[in-house]
Amino acid sequence: MRSRHSSIRSIITVVLVILVVLGFGYNLFDIQILNNEFYAAQNNAVNTYTVPIEAARGDIVDRNGNTLVTNRQGNSIILDAAYFPSKEDNKPRNEIIINLIKLFETNGEEYVNNLPLVSDGSSIAFTDDETEIKKMKSEGVFNLQNYATAQNCFDAMVEQYELEGYSIADSLKIGAVRYELTTKMFSIESPITIADDVSNETVAAVKEDPVSYKGADVKPVSYREYTDSTLAPHILGTVRKINADEYAELKESGYGITDTIGESGIEAALESELRGTPGEMTVTIDSEGNVTEEVTKNPIQGNTVVLTIDKDLQRLAQEKLKETCEEVSQTDGAGAVVVENINNGEVLAAASYPTYSIEDYYENYSKLAKNKRNPMWNRFALGLYAPGSTFKPMMACAALEEGVITEDTRFQCKGIWQYYDVPFECLRQTSHGNENVRQALRDSCNIFFYNCADKLGISKMNEYGSMFGLGEKTGVEINEASGVLSGPASAELYNRVWQMGDTIQSSIGQSDNLFTPLQLANYCATIANNGTRYELHFLKAIINGSNGSIDESNVTVAEDLPVSNNTFSIVKEGMRLVATDSVTHNVFDKIDIPVACKTGTSQVIKNGEKVNNGFLITFAPYNNPEISIASAIELAGSGTSTADITASIIDYYYSNNTDEPPAQQTGTLLD
């Protein structure tokens, strides 16, 4: 019986051996005879990859071609997947990475670390970056549940990247680089930067030791450079690495996951112009692992953006604004000033204080963000202020145009105006006597404009306010606030019912009225040019980076106001009296250019106390206006205290702005 079973097993074994031999024989026949050409081609296959080459961003220059933002050449250290060990080879990867980290630390280089884990030497904790923590736990990274602890994440990282032999500190360092490779989808087509703007010593070390730093390479990179990093930071804005959400949205437009993108200001608003056209490098890897690289498409630098601002006027505006704010308060002084060309809506200068240096923005971000004076806050575009009596020229235009007053209409000012059972005060309870509209503007008589409001009503007041662009965006390319025109709609937002008394308060720029300095400058410009309201803009022209052609920005009329020249003349005469017959004449008499202006004061609560912000809107010259200026100084007490800024700007503009020759030939065209 055992013999028969043994015989059957022997037969089966022989049959199996024959089948295996026949199988190998057929495969050999298939490879050598039937499909010899196919397998020969496979054996000699060459894999080809396309790697993008980053293009330098375009320059940003002022209206005369003076460089504000350009690029400088530096070096970053990248990991190149064509040479770096594959992701299955964890230990060689880790050895190379720790070698690089030791080099970086020796030379004082900063290297990538977006891993949201930290350690005190014994325990592991999360950072405060909730977005990164969620990403770390996601399926594409460590694939953990939402409730996973920091220790769970660390353990998963150690296991996935095979970091068991390293200390906690070194594991976190290596893990940070490995995490970057994972989240940034490291591949031959996508090299990953692990250290930016490194020293020449680091560059030399990487180049000279291709064994210890296998797969690491030096990549020439263009970094943003500023001729003066404190000049116009709120206008120019900042750049940074693209984030995951932006990449998902923009990858179809050619953006890579490690690209730089405009974050704020002009850098963000004109990203499509400033971003260059990436080049291409073709990488081929043959069957023996030999790698060759060839630049098949050269990158093209982005276009040059020409701004409307004058760098020297901008610098002067910033300096004078700082002086005034610091005189008001060394600890709380703040404000903004805007200078506009009234004939086309160009912003010639716009300053916000306190301010900051763009060059130190990221290094000092936490400190800047915690600063109670909010230096990063753009007060000229985002700051919303109750305009006080600077609102009164608009009220005068509305009342004259609607016929509720004439230029000869007079209202009696006794310091107090009784509206039913509610008393409304004039400025400092001053009794102005009988005043017409010109005198009321000169003296900033509240009671005159209370009477106008009583006759106009809030709907008609807001109709004119909207015509002048108050409570609406001005059109500038950078981020700006809309503001608020007070009325029933604004009251509803605050869960209250609009009353007629609110209309009276609104007539002197109080109630819910909130406007930006940009709006105030444009409103003043509209009065000065007899009713043409332009869209404000910072962009003057684009100079094409590839062929040098110039595309000048279009001047856009937002609205032609249906207000007569006679009305504007009356109002401007009243504003002229503010400059010649009120306390501001002490300042404006010192300059040669005749101006017209209107002061304003609005009461706010700060630290539980009532304080006043000061405002001034001005245009010059009076007889043939060219520029308008709006200034807002927090805690200034009155608008008169802002006159020094305005006078300095006007004096500079008409005395010094043609002394410096344009920095580029385009300057003559762009003027």
Side-chain angles (χ1 to χ4, degrees), residues 130-156:
E130 295 294 335
T131 301
E132 208 68 50
I133 293 170
K134 183 178 180 181
K135 184 196 298 183
M136 178 177 63
K137 295 179 180 180
S138 68
E139 183 179 357
V141 186
F142 298 148
N143 193 24
L144 297 171
Q145 298 295 334
N146 289 335
Y147 53 77
T149 66
Q151 186 65 51
N152 294 150
C153 294
F154 178 81
D155 293 341

PDB file of all heavy atoms in Angstrom, residues 130-156:
ATOM      1  N   GLU A 130      -3.156  73.840  13.700  1.00  0.00           N
ATOM      2  CA  GLU A 130      -4.233  72.867  13.556  1.00  0.00           C
ATOM      3  C   GLU A 130      -4.318  72.304  12.141  1.00  0.00           C
ATOM      4  O   GLU A 130      -4.603  71.111  11.939  1.00  0.00           O
ATOM      5  CB  GLU A 130      -5.575  73.506  13.941  1.00  0.00           C
ATOM      6  CG  GLU A 130      -5.685  73.907  15.399  1.00  0.00           C
ATOM      7  CD  GLU A 130      -5.664  72.703  16.331  1.00  0.00           C
ATOM      8  OE1 GLU A 130      -6.043  71.599  15.881  1.00  0.00           O
ATOM      9  OE2 GLU A 130      -5.247  72.862  17.491  1.00  0.00           O
ATOM     10  N   THR A 131      -4.072  73.142  11.145  1.00  0.00           N
ATOM     11  CA  THR A 131      -4.139  72.685   9.750  1.00  0.00           C
ATOM     12  C   THR A 131      -3.089  71.619   9.484  1.00  0.00           C
ATOM     13  O   THR A 131      -3.368  70.585   8.854  1.00  0.00           O
ATOM     14  CB  THR A 131      -3.936  73.871   8.785  1.00  0.00           C
ATOM     15  OG1 THR A 131      -4.937  74.846   9.028  1.00  0.00           O
ATOM     16  CG2 THR A 131      -4.016  73.408   7.335  1.00  0.00           C
ATOM     17  N   GLU A 132      -1.881  71.861   9.977  1.00  0.00           N
ATOM     18  CA  GLU A 132      -0.789  70.909   9.743  1.00  0.00           C
ATOM     19  C   GLU A 132      -1.016  69.621  10.528  1.00  0.00           C
ATOM     20  O   GLU A 132      -0.685  68.528  10.048  1.00  0.00           O
ATOM     21  CB  GLU A 132       0.537  71.556  10.117  1.00  0.00           C
ATOM     22  CG  GLU A 132       1.734  71.032   9.353  1.00  0.00           C
ATOM     23  CD  GLU A 132       1.720  71.407   7.883  1.00  0.00           C
ATOM     24  OE1 GLU A 132       1.532  72.597   7.565  1.00  0.00           O
ATOM     25  OE2 GLU A 132       1.894  70.493   7.049  1.00  0.00           O
ATOM     26  N   ILE A 133      -1.587  69.720  11.715  1.00  0.00           N
ATOM     27  CA  ILE A 133      -1.884  68.525  12.513  1.00  0.00           C
ATOM     28  C   ILE A 133      -2.885  67.641  11.787  1.00  0.00           C
ATOM     29  O   ILE A 133      -2.729  66.412  11.708  1.00  0.00           O
ATOM     30  CB  ILE A 133      -2.416  68.920  13.907  1.00  0.00           C
ATOM     31  CG1 ILE A 133      -1.316  69.604  14.719  1.00  0.00           C
ATOM     32  CG2 ILE A 133      -2.951  67.699  14.656  1.00  0.00           C
ATOM     33  CD1 ILE A 133      -1.805  70.249  16.003  1.00  0.00           C
ATOM     34  N   LYS A 134      -3.905  68.268  11.228  1.00  0.00           N
ATOM     35  CA  LYS A 134      -4.921  67.514  10.473  1.00  0.00           C
ATOM     36  C   LYS A 134      -4.284  66.845   9.262  1.00  0.00           C
ATOM     37  O   LYS A 134      -4.583  65.683   8.941  1.00  0.00           O
ATOM     38  CB  LYS A 134      -6.037  68.465  10.043  1.00  0.00           C
ATOM     39  CG  LYS A 134      -7.178  67.781   9.311  1.00  0.00           C
ATOM     40  CD  LYS A 134      -8.271  68.781   8.960  1.00  0.00           C
ATOM     41  CE  LYS A 134      -9.413  68.092   8.213  1.00  0.00           C
ATOM     42  NZ  LYS A 134     -10.484  69.068   7.845  1.00  0.00           N
ATOM     43  N   LYS A 135      -3.405  67.566   8.586  1.00  0.00           N
ATOM     44  CA  LYS A 135      -2.720  66.999   7.416  1.00  0.00           C
ATOM     45  C   LYS A 135      -1.863  65.809   7.831  1.00  0.00           C
ATOM     46  O   LYS A 135      -1.821  64.784   7.149  1.00  0.00           O
ATOM     47  CB  LYS A 135      -1.858  68.068   6.747  1.00  0.00           C
ATOM     48  CG  LYS A 135      -1.176  67.596   5.458  1.00  0.00           C
ATOM     49  CD  LYS A 135      -0.054  68.528   5.044  1.00  0.00           C
ATOM     50  CE  LYS A 135      -0.552  69.929   4.746  1.00  0.00           C
ATOM     51  NZ  LYS A 135       0.560  70.806   4.272  1.00  0.00           N
ATOM     52  N   MET A 136      -1.144  65.926   8.954  1.00  0.00           N
ATOM     53  CA  MET A 136      -0.256  64.867   9.425  1.00  0.00           C
ATOM     54  C   MET A 136      -1.020  63.578   9.708  1.00  0.00           C
ATOM     55  O   MET A 136      -0.515  62.473   9.456  1.00  0.00           O
ATOM     56  CB  MET A 136       0.474  65.336  10.684  1.00  0.00           C
ATOM     57  CG  MET A 136       1.397  64.308  11.304  1.00  0.00           C
ATOM     58  SD  MET A 136       2.298  64.942  12.738  1.00  0.00           S
ATOM     59  CE  MET A 136       0.939  65.304  13.855  1.00  0.00           C
ATOM     60  N   LYS A 137      -2.247  63.698  10.209  1.00  0.00           N
ATOM     61  CA  LYS A 137      -3.045  62.517  10.553  1.00  0.00           C
ATOM     62  C   LYS A 137      -3.778  61.924   9.354  1.00  0.00           C
ATOM     63  O   LYS A 137      -4.366  60.846   9.457  1.00  0.00           O
ATOM     64  CB  LYS A 137      -4.074  62.883  11.633  1.00  0.00           C
ATOM     65  CG  LYS A 137      -3.473  63.275  12.973  1.00  0.00           C
ATOM     66  CD  LYS A 137      -4.565  63.638  13.972  1.00  0.00           C
ATOM     67  CE  LYS A 137      -3.974  64.046  15.321  1.00  0.00           C
ATOM     68  NZ  LYS A 137      -5.029  64.410  16.295  1.00  0.00           N
ATOM     69  N   SER A 138      -3.737  62.621   8.219  1.00  0.00           N
ATOM     70  CA  SER A 138      -4.531  62.217   7.053  1.00  0.00           C
ATOM     71  C   SER A 138      -4.035  60.911   6.452  1.00  0.00           C
ATOM     72  O   SER A 138      -2.924  60.435   6.723  1.00  0.00           O
ATOM     73  CB  SER A 138      -4.511  63.315   5.998  1.00  0.00           C
ATOM     74  OG  SER A 138      -3.216  63.445   5.438  1.00  0.00           O
ATOM     75  N   GLU A 139      -4.856  60.342   5.600  1.00  0.00           N
ATOM     76  CA  GLU A 139      -4.563  59.055   4.972  1.00  0.00           C
ATOM     77  C   GLU A 139      -3.268  59.094   4.166  1.00  0.00           C
ATOM     78  O   GLU A 139      -2.516  58.122   4.125  1.00  0.00           O
ATOM     79  CB  GLU A 139      -5.731  58.657   4.062  1.00  0.00           C
ATOM     80  CG  GLU A 139      -5.564  57.303   3.411  1.00  0.00           C
ATOM     81  CD  GLU A 139      -6.751  56.927   2.543  1.00  0.00           C
ATOM     82  OE1 GLU A 139      -7.732  57.709   2.511  1.00  0.00           O
ATOM     83  OE2 GLU A 139      -6.700  55.865   1.892  1.00  0.00           O
ATOM     84  N   GLY A 140      -2.986  60.217   3.530  1.00  0.00           N
ATOM     85  CA  GLY A 140      -1.809  60.315   2.682  1.00  0.00           C
ATOM     86  C   GLY A 140      -0.506  60.448   3.441  1.00  0.00           C
ATOM     87  O   GLY A 140       0.579  60.367   2.847  1.00  0.00           O
ATOM     88  N   VAL A 141      -0.588  60.643   4.767  1.00  0.00           N
ATOM     89  CA  VAL A 141       0.641  60.803   5.556  1.00  0.00           C
ATOM     90  C   VAL A 141       0.741  59.644   6.553  1.00  0.00           C
ATOM     91  O   VAL A 141       1.245  58.579   6.215  1.00  0.00           O
ATOM     92  CB  VAL A 141       0.684  62.185   6.250  1.00  0.00           C
ATOM     93  CG1 VAL A 141       2.032  62.402   6.938  1.00  0.00           C
ATOM     94  CG2 VAL A 141       0.458  63.296   5.230  1.00  0.00           C
ATOM     95  N   PHE A 142       0.250  59.812   7.790  1.00  0.00           N
ATOM     96  CA  PHE A 142       0.387  58.747   8.785  1.00  0.00           C
ATOM     97  C   PHE A 142      -0.893  57.932   8.973  1.00  0.00           C
ATOM     98  O   PHE A 142      -0.905  56.951   9.719  1.00  0.00           O
ATOM     99  CB  PHE A 142       0.844  59.323  10.127  1.00  0.00           C
ATOM    100  CG  PHE A 142       2.197  59.989  10.072  1.00  0.00           C
ATOM    101  CD1 PHE A 142       2.491  61.076  10.888  1.00  0.00           C
ATOM    102  CD2 PHE A 142       3.183  59.539   9.206  1.00  0.00           C
ATOM    103  CE1 PHE A 142       3.740  61.686  10.839  1.00  0.00           C
ATOM    104  CE2 PHE A 142       4.421  60.143   9.147  1.00  0.00           C
ATOM    105  CZ  PHE A 142       4.707  61.218   9.956  1.00  0.00           C
ATOM    106  N   ASN A 143      -1.987  58.352   8.358  1.00  0.00           N
ATOM    107  CA  ASN A 143      -3.244  57.594   8.353  1.00  0.00           C
ATOM    108  C   ASN A 143      -3.707  57.240   9.764  1.00  0.00           C
ATOM    109  O   ASN A 143      -3.867  56.076  10.126  1.00  0.00           O
ATOM    110  CB  ASN A 143      -3.086  56.318   7.508  1.00  0.00           C
ATOM    111  CG  ASN A 143      -4.422  55.662   7.205  1.00  0.00           C
ATOM    112  OD1 ASN A 143      -5.463  56.320   7.206  1.00  0.00           O
ATOM    113  ND2 ASN A 143      -4.395  54.365   6.944  1.00  0.00           N
ATOM    114  N   LEU A 144      -3.921  58.278  10.563  1.00  0.00           N
ATOM    115  CA  LEU A 144      -4.348  58.096  11.947  1.00  0.00           C
ATOM    116  C   LEU A 144      -5.733  58.693  12.172  1.00  0.00           C
ATOM    117  O   LEU A 144      -6.190  59.550  11.403  1.00  0.00           O
ATOM    118  CB  LEU A 144      -3.343  58.761  12.889  1.00  0.00           C
ATOM    119  CG  LEU A 144      -1.914  58.193  12.867  1.00  0.00           C
ATOM    120  CD1 LEU A 144      -0.989  59.094  13.672  1.00  0.00           C
ATOM    121  CD2 LEU A 144      -1.891  56.769  13.403  1.00  0.00           C
ATOM    122  N   GLN A 145      -6.390  58.256  13.213  1.00  0.00           N
ATOM    123  CA  GLN A 145      -7.691  58.804  13.577  1.00  0.00           C
ATOM    124  C   GLN A 145      -7.537  60.231  14.086  1.00  0.00           C
ATOM    125  O   GLN A 145      -6.455  60.630  14.550  1.00  0.00           O
ATOM    126  CB  GLN A 145      -8.348  57.936  14.660  1.00  0.00           C
ATOM    127  CG  GLN A 145      -8.624  56.516  14.236  1.00  0.00           C
ATOM    128  CD  GLN A 145      -9.653  56.416  13.127  1.00  0.00           C
ATOM    129  OE1 GLN A 145     -10.506  57.292  12.981  1.00  0.00           O
ATOM    130  NE2 GLN A 145      -9.579  55.350  12.341  1.00  0.00           N
ATOM    131  N   ASN A 146      -8.611  60.991  14.031  1.00  0.00           N
ATOM    132  CA  ASN A 146      -8.570  62.391  14.472  1.00  0.00           C
ATOM    133  C   ASN A 146      -8.173  62.527  15.939  1.00  0.00           C
ATOM    134  O   ASN A 146      -7.585  63.527  16.340  1.00  0.00           O
ATOM    135  CB  ASN A 146      -9.934  63.060  14.247  1.00  0.00           C
ATOM    136  CG  ASN A 146     -10.222  63.290  12.780  1.00  0.00           C
ATOM    137  OD1 ASN A 146      -9.303  63.396  11.970  1.00  0.00           O
ATOM    138  ND2 ASN A 146     -11.498  63.356  12.434  1.00  0.00           N
ATOM    139  N   TYR A 147      -8.515  61.505  16.723  1.00  0.00           N
ATOM    140  CA  TYR A 147      -8.238  61.593  18.162  1.00  0.00           C
ATOM    141  C   TYR A 147      -6.814  61.132  18.506  1.00  0.00           C
ATOM    142  O   TYR A 147      -6.447  61.098  19.686  1.00  0.00           O
ATOM    143  CB  TYR A 147      -9.251  60.772  18.959  1.00  0.00           C
ATOM    144  CG  TYR A 147      -9.390  59.328  18.524  1.00  0.00           C
ATOM    145  CD1 TYR A 147      -8.429  58.372  18.879  1.00  0.00           C
ATOM    146  CD2 TYR A 147     -10.476  58.918  17.755  1.00  0.00           C
ATOM    147  CE1 TYR A 147      -8.546  57.053  18.482  1.00  0.00           C
ATOM    148  CE2 TYR A 147     -10.601  57.601  17.348  1.00  0.00           C
ATOM    149  CZ  TYR A 147      -9.645  56.664  17.713  1.00  0.00           C
ATOM    150  OH  TYR A 147      -9.760  55.362  17.321  1.00  0.00           O
ATOM    151  N   ALA A 148      -6.015  60.795  17.537  1.00  0.00           N
ATOM    152  CA  ALA A 148      -4.647  60.338  17.796  1.00  0.00           C
ATOM    153  C   ALA A 148      -3.865  61.400  18.558  1.00  0.00           C
ATOM    154  O   ALA A 148      -3.937  62.593  18.257  1.00  0.00           O
ATOM    155  CB  ALA A 148      -3.947  60.004  16.489  1.00  0.00           C
ATOM    156  N   THR A 149      -3.104  60.955  19.541  1.00  0.00           N
ATOM    157  CA  THR A 149      -2.308  61.885  20.343  1.00  0.00           C
ATOM    158  C   THR A 149      -1.011  62.236  19.620  1.00  0.00           C
ATOM    159  O   THR A 149      -0.644  61.612  18.611  1.00  0.00           O
ATOM    160  CB  THR A 149      -1.959  61.255  21.700  1.00  0.00           C
ATOM    161  OG1 THR A 149      -1.090  60.134  21.476  1.00  0.00           O
ATOM    162  CG2 THR A 149      -3.215  60.803  22.438  1.00  0.00           C
ATOM    163  N   ALA A 150      -0.293  63.207  20.174  1.00  0.00           N
ATOM    164  CA  ALA A 150       0.999  63.574  19.604  1.00  0.00           C
ATOM    165  C   ALA A 150       1.957  62.385  19.658  1.00  0.00           C
ATOM    166  O   ALA A 150       2.733  62.146  18.728  1.00  0.00           O
ATOM    167  CB  ALA A 150       1.580  64.768  20.358  1.00  0.00           C
ATOM    168  N   GLN A 151       1.903  61.635  20.762  1.00  0.00           N
ATOM    169  CA  GLN A 151       2.772  60.450  20.881  1.00  0.00           C
ATOM    170  C   GLN A 151       2.406  59.410  19.828  1.00  0.00           C
ATOM    171  O   GLN A 151       3.294  58.773  19.240  1.00  0.00           O
ATOM    172  CB  GLN A 151       2.650  59.847  22.282  1.00  0.00           C
ATOM    173  CG  GLN A 151       3.618  58.696  22.543  1.00  0.00           C
ATOM    174  CD  GLN A 151       5.071  59.137  22.531  1.00  0.00           C
ATOM    175  OE1 GLN A 151       5.443  60.092  23.205  1.00  0.00           O
ATOM    176  NE2 GLN A 151       5.903  58.446  21.749  1.00  0.00           N
ATOM    177  N   ASN A 152       1.100  59.227  19.573  1.00  0.00           N
ATOM    178  CA  ASN A 152       0.669  58.310  18.525  1.00  0.00           C
ATOM    179  C   ASN A 152       1.252  58.716  17.172  1.00  0.00           C
ATOM    180  O   ASN A 152       1.728  57.867  16.411  1.00  0.00           O
ATOM    181  CB  ASN A 152      -0.858  58.300  18.407  1.00  0.00           C
ATOM    182  CG  ASN A 152      -1.558  57.738  19.618  1.00  0.00           C
ATOM    183  OD1 ASN A 152      -2.678  58.125  19.927  1.00  0.00           O
ATOM    184  ND2 ASN A 152      -0.905  56.817  20.326  1.00  0.00           N
ATOM    185  N   CYS A 153       1.216  60.013  16.897  1.00  0.00           N
ATOM    186  CA  CYS A 153       1.737  60.518  15.619  1.00  0.00           C
ATOM    187  C   CYS A 153       3.249  60.293  15.536  1.00  0.00           C
ATOM    188  O   CYS A 153       3.770  59.884  14.483  1.00  0.00           O
ATOM    189  CB  CYS A 153       1.418  62.002  15.462  1.00  0.00           C
ATOM    190  SG  CYS A 153      -0.339  62.369  15.316  1.00  0.00           S
ATOM    191  N   PHE A 154       3.931  60.540  16.634  1.00  0.00           N
ATOM    192  CA  PHE A 154       5.384  60.344  16.663  1.00  0.00           C
ATOM    193  C   PHE A 154       5.726  58.872  16.432  1.00  0.00           C
ATOM    194  O   PHE A 154       6.625  58.537  15.641  1.00  0.00           O
ATOM    195  CB  PHE A 154       5.945  60.820  17.999  1.00  0.00           C
ATOM    196  CG  PHE A 154       7.430  60.612  18.147  1.00  0.00           C
ATOM    197  CD1 PHE A 154       8.338  61.498  17.579  1.00  0.00           C
ATOM    198  CD2 PHE A 154       7.920  59.511  18.847  1.00  0.00           C
ATOM    199  CE1 PHE A 154       9.713  61.297  17.707  1.00  0.00           C
ATOM    200  CE2 PHE A 154       9.291  59.313  18.981  1.00  0.00           C
ATOM    201  CZ  PHE A 154      10.184  60.205  18.408  1.00  0.00           C
ATOM    202  N   ASP A 155       4.999  57.990  17.102  1.00  0.00           N
ATOM    203  CA  ASP A 155       5.258  56.552  16.954  1.00  0.00           C
ATOM    204  C   ASP A 155       5.011  56.098  15.516  1.00  0.00           C
ATOM    205  O   ASP A 155       5.778  55.290  14.971  1.00  0.00           O
ATOM    206  CB  ASP A 155       4.368  55.752  17.906  1.00  0.00           C
ATOM    207  CG  ASP A 155       4.728  55.987  19.371  1.00  0.00           C
ATOM    208  OD1 ASP A 155       5.852  56.464  19.635  1.00  0.00           O
ATOM    209  OD2 ASP A 155       3.869  55.717  20.238  1.00  0.00           O
ATOM    210  N   ALA A 156       3.938  56.613  14.913  1.00  0.00           N
ATOM    211  CA  ALA A 156       3.641  56.256  13.525  1.00  0.00           C
ATOM    212  C   ALA A 156       4.743  56.749  12.592  1.00  0.00           C
ATOM    213  O   ALA A 156       5.126  56.063  11.627  1.00  0.00           O
ATOM    214  CB  ALA A 156       2.298  56.841  13.111  1.00  0.00           C
TER     215      ALA A 156
END
